[in-house]
Amino acid sequence: MEGDCLSCMKYLMFLFNFFIFLGGACLLGLGIWVIVDPTGFREIVAANPLLFTGAYIMLAMGAMLFLLGFLGCCGAIRENKCLLLFFFMFILLIFLAELSAAILAFIFRENLTREFFTKELKKHYQRNNDTDVFSSTWNSVMITFACCGVNGPEDFEAIPHLPNSSLEKATPEACCQRELQSREGMFVDREACLTGTERFQNRQGCYTVILNSFETYVYLAGALAIGVLAIELFAMIFAMCLFRGIQ
């Protein structure tokens, strides 16, 4: 009976680690896609140190889960106590790190409000100055998502336009409609857009556009994170039980 229980635990351990292996592979693939994606995310990520760091953390976490899932599978099938102990210690560290990250994200969630982004935009945005990281990042976001400002073009009314601009209104070029939404895309009517003709501008704010674009994925990511934490917890329990059961 004890042998059957140990055998069952071994295959359950293998199953849980197989899911961890797949989760790590997904994170690894997602991290690589964000960094090399040619549709605009690569430029945004590279221009923002926080996003740049986050993308590489995701890559590292994916690679680590990928490796640990593989080691856990091998340790379970081969009934190797050393591999099982190594797996348990590292999965515990990852579990605690993910839990800490979730708590910090909850604590600092107020930094992701509409008001926060509006305040930062008005304070730091320098229009078409692509040498400024903040401005370049915002321009890339507005071009990629066909949006303007946080709430709309009115966010830029208090921001001084370029000294050499002869146009009456200083709507950023990034807010102008393009035939193709990329930096290489031709403007529908640049002059009309910059002088305030609304039908040639992207009028919707980026906060709403991005929130709508990623709303489904946020819930999916949250559910996936909870699932991964639960799988890791069960994997640690099975690893210790299997470790103690191996003679």
Side-chain angles (χ1 to χ4, degrees):
M1 186 67 183
E2 186 179 345
D4 291 339
C5 184
L6 188 65
S7 179
C8 179
M9 201 176 298
K10 178 173 74 173
Y11 288 110
L12 282 173
M13 174 73 178
F14 176 84
L15 184 63
F16 276 119
N17 279 284
F18 181 70
F19 283 120
I20 290 173
F21 176 82
L22 288 181
C26 289
L27 273 179
L28 195 60
L30 184 62
I32 293 171
W33 174 76
V34 168
I35 290 172
V36 304
D37 176 56
T39 60
F41 283 103
R42 177 178 56 190
E43 187 175 9
I44 296 169
V45 168
N48 190 314
L50 185 61
L51 291 177
F52 185 78
T53 304
Y56 277 95
I57 288 174
M58 183 163 42
L59 268 176
M61 291 294 290
M64 192 175 293
L65 286 173
F66 183 87
L67 177 62
L68 286 176
F70 177 76
L71 289 175
C73 288
C74 290
I77 292 297
R78 295 171 62 98
E79 297 185 8
N80 187 307
K81 295 183 76 169
C82 187
L83 280 177
L84 287 172
L85 185 61
F86 177 81
F87 167 81
F88 176 83
M89 295 301 295
F90 272 85
I91 208 75
L92 178 62
L93 288 175
I94 292 173
F95 180 84
L96 293 175
E98 290 172 345
L99 200 58
S100 301
I103 293 169
L104 287 173
F106 180 79
I107 292 172
F108 293 106
R109 68 190 185 283
E110 64 271 11
N111 289 341
L112 299 177
T113 61
R114 185 188 297 268
E115 292 72 22
F116 172 80
F117 285 117
T118 303
K119 178 184 173 184
E120 290 296 301
L121 180 69
K122 291 181 177 179
K123 183 178 178 182
H124 300 292
Y125 186 68
Q126 298 178 24
R127 299 191 177 275
N128 300 323
N129 183 4
D130 284 335
T131 59
D132 176 67
V133 172
F134 185 89
S135 304
S136 176
T137 302
W138 261 105
N139 288 336
S140 295
V141 169
M142 292 190 290
I143 291 170
T144 301
F145 290 96
C147 56
C148 189
V150 178
N151 309 288
E154 62 274 10
D155 289 343
F156 300 102
E157 290 175 1
I159 301 174
H161 57 75
L162 296 174
N164 59 351
S165 175
S166 59
L167 299 169
E168 295 178 6
K169 294 187 179 180
T171 303
E173 280 188 0
C175 288
C176 296
Q177 291 183 7
R178 298 168 185 253
E179 294 176 3
L180 177 66
Q181 284 306 135
S182 69
R183 284 190 178 272
E184 293 74 30
M186 297 292 293
F187 292 103
V188 176
D189 192 328
R190 179 178 176 275
E191 287 71 23
C193 166
L194 296 179
T195 52
T197 305
E198 294 185 3
R199 67 192 181 94
F200 295 114
Q201 297 175 350
N202 296 314
R203 304 291 301 175
Q204 195 168 13
C206 293
Y207 190 89
T208 302
V209 171
I210 294 175
L211 199 64
N212 291 340
S213 299
F214 288 100
E215 187 176 12
T216 305
Y217 300 104
V218 167
Y219 290 118
L220 183 62
L224 183 62
I226 293 171
V228 167
L229 287 173
I231 289 171
E232 288 172 355
L233 185 60
F234 279 110
M236 286 189 291
I237 293 170
F238 282 122
M240 274 296 96
C241 291
L242 189 59
F243 179 84
R244 294 186 62 184
I246 294 173
Q247 301 299 324

